[in-house]
């Protein structure tokens, strides 16, 4: 490729903030392309036009720059949700995302944009590398040299369907083998993508290693270790303009590493709003999370009562599994003056917690990257995390002797190890000088996209 020509990348994602969102994938798809644009890539985004997409015409832009194209199909995408409704996943998800993947490839001819690389994300676009290599690339010169990258955001979701549905992919039965898309007599879409894509990435260096082991590999560890030469772990970033305590329209008080005073005022204001006593001497411990086993909620369930026996305050925001809703409702009734329980999805309250709490709990069983701990750091709220995946790559234990570190880390998935780490945090909290240093360390961390966008660029360049 000539030096002065920009690399052309099409970023394909089944959700993109601010158009559609169920989780972290939307955050990444809405912010990484902006950073790649800054790094000099000619990047465009493509995504389904769901009912929730409020855009006229077939094109929008991210940050007034990166073009976003929408794929229309009223039957498949004009629905109340993205993937599932109350009763469970939509029954035709395989048809819907096979259509999306094919639609992207065929749509290129109408876009007047011939990418060097199509960057796919998760199982919803994992059929694309299969189609490109086995069908379009063989039949049509236009597609012959196009390469693919497939990013795994969470290996727990693979797009697994009953074998009877396989013909809906449009592929012949010769592709239904254990070296291609078959997985214990089921169809596994992500597996197909992992077999065929030129490069695989995942969202942190530690998770890239973990998924090659039986403990974290969700049945695909064998394939992932076979492909380890083409597997790269690149940490997600957060948008430093969206998450900025020194200049945040949604906060009443502002603060930064150099001027931290506003944080105490944010805490007092959050305490008041949450019906907690306005005390600076008791640590306010926060959680913002899906209430799911993956996030270590069972550990929290085991320690929450003994924790509330200490002189602490607790604030939780989250929705998810019914059993956790019941547990926290009981706690809310028992100690309303110490625990504020908010069982809902509320982006503003999330921000108030990130800024007003002192300590943030994230004892995940596994964590591909995790954004919440990075956001907490940015707002000077100190994470207590388990050493796994992206948590291991972003949080280092605070050492009172050297005063280095930005949080508290425990190893084993064990409630009492977790509790010990929280007690250590509470101990340091009481030593004001040390705590101020720790908060300053946290706020000085830089997990913005710039560094990671450069790493993606290096990966892209391997393909050209
Ligand atoms: P995951 O994508 O696995 O749920 P991440 O930590 O990567 O976890 O990202 C979660 C994102 O969703 C964070 O931005 C977090 O603030 C936000 N979030 C989670 N639960 C809620 C909630 N109940 N209300 C508002 N935001 C939430």
């Amino acid at each position: 490729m000539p030096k002065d020509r920009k690399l052309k990348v099409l970023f394909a994602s089944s959700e993109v903030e601010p158009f559609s969102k169920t989780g972290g994938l939307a955050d990444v798809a809405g912010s990484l392309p902006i950073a790649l644009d800054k790094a000099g890539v000619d990047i465009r985004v493509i995504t389904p036009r769901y009912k929730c997409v409020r855009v006229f015409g077939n094109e929008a832009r991210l940050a007034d720059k990166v073009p976003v194209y929408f794929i229309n199909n009223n039957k498949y995408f004009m629905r109340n949700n993205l993937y599932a409704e109350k009763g469970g996943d939509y029954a035709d998800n395989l048809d819907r995302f096979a259509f999306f993947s094919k639609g992207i490839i065929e749509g290129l001819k109408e876009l007047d944009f011939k990418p060097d690389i199509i960057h796919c994300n998760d199982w919803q676009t994992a059929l694309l590398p299969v189609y490109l290599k086995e069908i379009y690339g063989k039949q049509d010169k236009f597609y012959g040299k196009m390469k693919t990258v497939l990013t795994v955001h969470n290996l727990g979701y693979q797009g697994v369907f009953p074998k009877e549905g396989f013909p809906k992919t449009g592929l012949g039965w010769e592709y239904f083998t254990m070296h291609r898309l078959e997985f214990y007599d089921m169809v596994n879409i992500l597996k197909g993508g992992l077999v065929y894509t030129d490069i695989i990435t995942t969202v942190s260096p530690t998770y890239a290693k973990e998924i090659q082991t039986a403990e974290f590999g969700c049945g695909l560890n064998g394939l992932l270790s076979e492909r380890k030469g083409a597997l790269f772990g690149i940490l997600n970033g957060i948008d430093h303009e969206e998450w900025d305590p020194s200049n945040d329209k949604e906060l009443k008080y502002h603060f930064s590493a150099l001027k931290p005073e506003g944080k105490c005022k944010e805490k007092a204001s959050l305490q008041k709003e949450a019906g907690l006593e306005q005390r600076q001497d008791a640590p306010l411990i926060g959680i913002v999370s899906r209430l799911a086993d993956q996030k270590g909620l069972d550990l929290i369930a085991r320690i929450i009562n003994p924790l509330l026996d200490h002189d602490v305050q607790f604030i939780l925001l989250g929705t998810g599994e019914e059993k956790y809703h019941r547990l926290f409702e009981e706690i809310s009734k028992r100690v309303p003056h110490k625990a504020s329980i908010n069982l809902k999805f509320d982006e503003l309250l999330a921000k108030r917690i990130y800024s007003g709490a002192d300590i943030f709990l994230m004892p995940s069983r596994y964590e591909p990257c995790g954004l919440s701990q990075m956001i907490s750091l940015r707002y000077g709220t100190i994470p207590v995390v388990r050493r796994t995946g992206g948590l291991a790559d972003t949080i280092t234990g605070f050492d009172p002797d050297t005063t280095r570190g930005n949080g508290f880390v425990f190893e084993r998935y064990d409630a009492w190890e977790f509790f010990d780490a929280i007690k250590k945090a509470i101990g340091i909290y009481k030593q004001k000088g040390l705590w101020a240093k720790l908060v300053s360390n946290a706020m000085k961390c830089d997990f913005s996209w710039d560094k990671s966008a450069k790493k993606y660029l290096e990966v892209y360049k391997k393909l050209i």
Side-chain angles (χ1 to χ4, degrees):
M1 193 174 92
K3 260 219 159 105
D4 52 344
R5 177 162 97 62
K6 277 190 169 185
L7 192 66
K8 293 183 182 189
V9 177
L10 183 67
F11 194 91
S13 175
S14 61
E15 48 188 279
V16 181
E17 172 82 0
F19 309 108
S20 53
K21 174 168 179 172
T22 69
L25 170 59
D27 290 313
V28 174
S31 54
L32 169 59
I34 300 171
L36 285 165
D37 170 84
K38 265 192 220 145
V41 179
D42 180 359
I43 185 148
R44 327 244 172 136
V45 176
I46 192 157
T47 190
R49 174 187 289 279
Y50 301 106
K51 202 167 164 185
C52 59
V53 174
R54 302 260 173 268
V55 172
F56 294 107
N58 279 332
E59 198 185 316
R61 276 173 199 268
L62 295 174
D64 293 329
K65 280 187 228 134
V66 179
V68 181
Y69 305 118
F70 295 97
I71 297 239
N72 289 311
N73 183 313
N74 288 348
K75 183 172 119 201
Y76 286 150
F77 300 134
M78 282 295 150
R79 302 184 184 184
N80 290 332
N81 295 300
L82 271 56
Y83 316 123
E85 230 149 46
K86 266 210 177 109
D89 289 349
Y90 289 129
D92 57 353
N93 274 347
L94 178 53
D95 316 54
R96 298 171 75 221
F97 291 102
F99 171 84
F100 179 48
S101 295
K102 240 182 230 171
I104 294 169
I105 301 177
E106 293 185 4
L108 284 176
K109 292 234 168 156
E110 284 167 38
L111 277 184
D112 190 25
F113 180 64
K114 187 176 172 184
D116 302 296
I117 295 165
I118 304 181
H119 187 152
C120 305
N121 292 279
D122 281 350
W123 76 263
Q124 289 89 344
T125 44
L127 277 172
L128 192 150
V130 186
Y131 294 145
L132 196 65
K133 278 266 159 66
E134 288 288 20
I135 302 172
Y136 295 87
K138 284 183 178 167
Q139 294 171 357
D140 186 338
K141 253 172 71 192
F142 179 83
Y143 299 105
K145 286 200 180 127
M146 256 174 228
K147 298 284 198 273
T148 55
V149 171
L150 173 58
T151 298
V152 178
H153 295 261
N154 188 337
L155 198 60
Y157 302 88
Q158 301 181 358
V160 173
F161 299 93
K163 151 186 191 176
E164 294 68 41
F166 188 69
K168 294 176 186 168
T169 61
L171 298 164
W173 283 103
E174 68 274 22
Y175 290 91
F176 191 75
T177 69
M178 65 174 283
H179 297 294
R180 290 171 166 171
L181 282 85
E182 188 256 344
F183 184 73
Y184 300 101
D185 212 31
M186 306 274 277
V187 189
N188 186 325
I189 301 300
L190 184 68
K191 179 177 174 182
L194 295 174
V195 169
Y196 280 95
T197 191
D198 296 296
I199 280 184
I200 302 165
T201 73
T202 188
V203 290
S204 69
T206 296
Y207 194 58
K209 287 190 208 126
E210 287 173 343
I211 56 179
Q212 298 178 50
T213 67
E215 187 186 350
F216 294 95
C218 305
L220 293 177
N221 40 297
L223 169 59
L224 287 161
S225 10
E226 261 172 51
R227 294 224 58 196
K228 71 172 173 221
L231 168 60
F232 302 89
I234 303 176
L235 203 61
N236 281 339
I238 55 169
D239 184 332
H240 269 201
E241 278 159 38
E242 187 189 340
W243 303 104
D244 182 3
S246 70
N247 180 27
D248 197 319
K249 284 186 222 78
E250 286 158 327
L251 298 185
K252 288 197 196 115
Y253 305 98
H254 295 117
F255 53 95
S256 64
L258 293 176
K259 288 184 80 180
E261 302 78 22
K263 185 166 172 72
C264 295
K265 295 184 185 158
E266 272 294 313
K267 175 174 174 179
S269 139
L270 176 64
Q271 285 169 319
K272 184 167 177 210
E273 207 173 291
L276 303 168
E277 247 182 289
Q278 283 181 299
R279 294 176 53 191
Q280 292 294 334
D281 60 329
L284 176 53
I285 300 177
I287 294 179
V288 178
S289 178
R290 288 187 284 121
L291 304 182
D293 289 339
Q294 181 211 325
K295 296 290 180 183
L297 262 288
D298 50 334
L299 297 191
I300 291 168
R302 248 173 285 155
I303 59 110
I304 187 68
N305 284 318
L307 176 61
L308 288 169
D309 287 340
H310 287 246
D311 187 22
V312 299
Q313 296 177 333
F314 180 72
I315 183 161
L316 173 130
L317 170 64
T319 56
E321 291 173 31
E322 188 57 40
K323 59 183 177 190
Y324 296 125
H325 282 232
R326 279 200 303 271
L327 167 79
F328 289 115
E329 271 159 8
E330 276 163 29
I331 287 170
S332 171
K333 278 190 206 128
R334 195 169 64 76
V335 282
H337 55 293
K338 285 188 98 170
S340 160
I341 303 299
N342 307 273
L343 301 170
K344 57 179 176 178
F345 195 91
D346 180 340
E347 293 189 73
L348 180 58
L349 180 57
K351 203 168 246 186
R352 304 287 317 279
I353 295 175
Y354 289 123
S355 63
D358 298 298
I359 295 171
F360 191 86
L361 305 184
M362 211 164 161
S364 304
R365 184 181 285 276
Y366 74 95
E367 193 60 74
C369 177
L371 299 173
S372 298
Q373 83 280 16
M374 299 190 207
I375 303 170
S376 294
L377 290 173
R378 181 109 172 110
Y379 287 77
T381 301
I382 303 304
V384 177
V385 307
R386 190 164 96 85
R387 194 189 302 285
T388 182
L391 297 173
D393 293 331
T394 51
I395 308 300
T396 42
F398 182 69
D399 177 345
D401 295 329
T402 62
T403 72
R404 294 225 182 101
N406 60 3
F408 297 89
V409 183
F410 66 101
E411 299 282 336
R412 278 195 314 131
Y413 194 75
D414 174 273
W416 306 113
E417 270 196 33
F418 175 38
F419 198 30
D420 281 343
I422 301 176
K423 284 193 279 197
K424 213 188 260 175
I426 296 172
I428 302 285
Y429 180 79
K430 291 189 178 138
Q431 306 176 54
K432 289 297 161 205
L434 278 183
W435 190 260
K437 176 70 169 83
L438 171 52
V439 169
S440 159
N441 291 356
M443 295 187 75
K444 283 181 185 155
C445 293
D446 181 358
F447 293 110
S448 61
W449 269 113
D450 299 354
K451 269 183 265 166
S452 298
K454 288 201 185 91
K455 295 204 170 129
Y456 276 105
L457 192 54
E458 283 166 27
V459 162
Y460 292 157
K461 283 184 177 160
K462 288 180 200 294
L463 291 175
I464 303 301

